[in-house]
Every structure is written in C-alpha cells, then in structure tokens.
Amino acid sequence: SQTIHQWPATLVQPVGSPLSLECTVEGTSNPNLYWYRQAAGRGLQLLFYSVGIGQISSEVPQNLSASRPQDRQFILSSKKLLLSDSGFYLCAWRANWEGTNTEAFFGQGTRLTVV
Amino acid sequence: AQKVTQAQTEISVVEKEDVTLDCVYETRDTTYYLFWYKQPPSGELVFLIRRNSFDEQNEISGRYSWNFQKSTSSFNFTITASQVVDSAVYFCALSVSGANNLFFGTGTRLTVIP
C-alpha cells in the first residue's frame, strides 16, 4: 500500500532563517506531488506541484521554492523565512493516470510558526 | 476558471442530528471530478469520496451520503445521526480533466455537541 511521510510535524523558526520540509511517498512510482499551505482558519492554497523529477510548477509567487530530487521525494524550502510564512503545510500525492483525475492523499502536515 | 464555494463556515449540531454540508462548484469543463475530504483536529486530510461529472448517482456509505446535482452545480454531503467523532473541517474540491491541480473550497467546520 502507498504511504506518505512528511516531517517535521512542528517547527518554530525565527524570521530570516532557512526552511526545509521534506516529503516522501512509498508504494507508488511517478506520482504527482503537491505542497499546499493552510493559513489559520482558511482553506488550502496550492503552492507547488510536480509531475516528475526536476519538474516544478509554482502556483503562487512567494518566498518559497520546491524541488524534486528523486521520484518520490518532494522538498519545500526557503532561504529566509517571513512571518507570513507561518501556517500548516501539507504534502500530497496523486496517482499519475492519464485520462482520469484521481484523489490526492495527504501527509500529516507540518505546523510552521515563524517568530 | 475553476472555483469551489462552501458558504457554511461553521456548523454546530447536537449529536444524532442530521447535517448537510453544502458545496457549489464552477467550471466550464464538461469532464471534471469532485471530492470531499475530512480534516480532523490532527490536521491530516482524509479522503472521503470522488465523483466524476458523468456519474450523477447519489452515493451512500454508512452514515455518509452525497448528492450530486449538475443542474445546480452542487455536491452536497450529508451526515446522518451525527457523532462527536464527526467533528472536523470538511473540504470540497474540484479537479478538471487534464489538469494537475485540486481546487479546494474554504472548508466547513462541523462541531457535534454531545
């Protein structure tokens, strides 16, 4: 069966510090991978998605970047965090089946607080 | 452009009451998919259902049921005989054929009072 791992679960970082959140998927190959952010009390905002190694699409211009160094690894980074980067970050994967839109499966999330 | 509207921000019901969560979507695509997710206090989004635009049959799964009506662009979710464990934020989402994104509504926070 497929599983998705995301870490760390919580993180408190000072303004201006770097960020690296990691997500890995097991039990599937060539998944579509996603990073979402959920601000307090709000919906999910898509930040990045990737359909393959090294292929990153950005949905919102921001202080963050993403990379996919391996098929099942997706990393969210920042060189200098802002207060506005605080939020709940969720990684997700979807099966890459042409002709149908499968459901996404989510990791447990990382709660980031920038202080 | 795609859009999902969940007009109900918060709903509170007493245990054993039925509750319906509304979802209205917008898309010009004729092939699309609708989803419901549950986000319990732990934060992880749990997939509940996927429905494609060519299948308007309503679905029932235990205490959960979904009413898909293309005529009103709605995909409503009903919980029958609610329980405290149903307390969560529920998200409706839309994906169009050939696109990689899932468009989420802003969610409805359901509180079931014992």
Side-chain angles (χ1 to χ4, degrees), chain A residues 14-31:
Chain A
V15 168
S17 64
L19 173 73
S20 180
L21 302 181
E22 189 161 343
C23 172
T24 59
V25 181
E26 295 177 358
T28 187
S29 59
N30 195 32

Side-chain angles (χ1 to χ4, degrees), chain B residues 38 60-65 77-83 85-86:
Chain B
K38 174 182 180 180
I60 298 174
S61 176
R63 296 184 297 106
Y64 294 172
S65 62
F77 174 29
T78 298
I79 302 175
T80 303
S82 59
Q83 300 177 1
V85 294
D86 296 327

Side-chain angles (χ1 to χ4, degrees), chain A residues 1 5-6 12 14-15 18 33 37 41 50-51 67 88-89 99 103 113:
Chain A
S1 64
H5 303 280
Q6 184 182 341
V12 180
V15 168
L33 296 173
R37 177 169 59 197
S50 171
V51 299
S67 61
F88 190 56
Y89 290 82
E103 56 272 21
T113 304

Side-chain angles (χ1 to χ4, degrees), chain A residues 4 32 34 36 38 41-44 46 49 51 59 88 90 94 96-97 99-109 111, chain B residues 31 33 35 37 39 41-47 49-50 89 91 95-107 109:
Chain A
I4 179 169
N32 288 347
Y34 303 82
Y36 283 87
Q38 184 179 21
R42 300 181 64 180
L44 279 75
L46 178 66
Y49 68 88
V51 299
E59 291 293 305
F88 190 56
L90 287 155
R94 292 172 81 185
N96 194 356
W97 295 347
T100 188
N101 286 30
T102 58
E103 56 272 21
F105 295 96
F106 287 80
Q108 293 190 318
R111 196 164 302 280
Chain B
T31 303
Y33 298 79
F35 307 81
Y37 285 85
Q39 186 179 40
S42 61
E44 179 182 354
L45 267 77
V46 178
F47 166 72
I49 189 171
R50 177 185 68 170
V89 180
F91 290 96
S95 180
V96 300
S97 181
N100 289 300
N101 193 6
L102 272 175
F103 294 91
F104 282 85
T106 51
R109 180 177 298 278

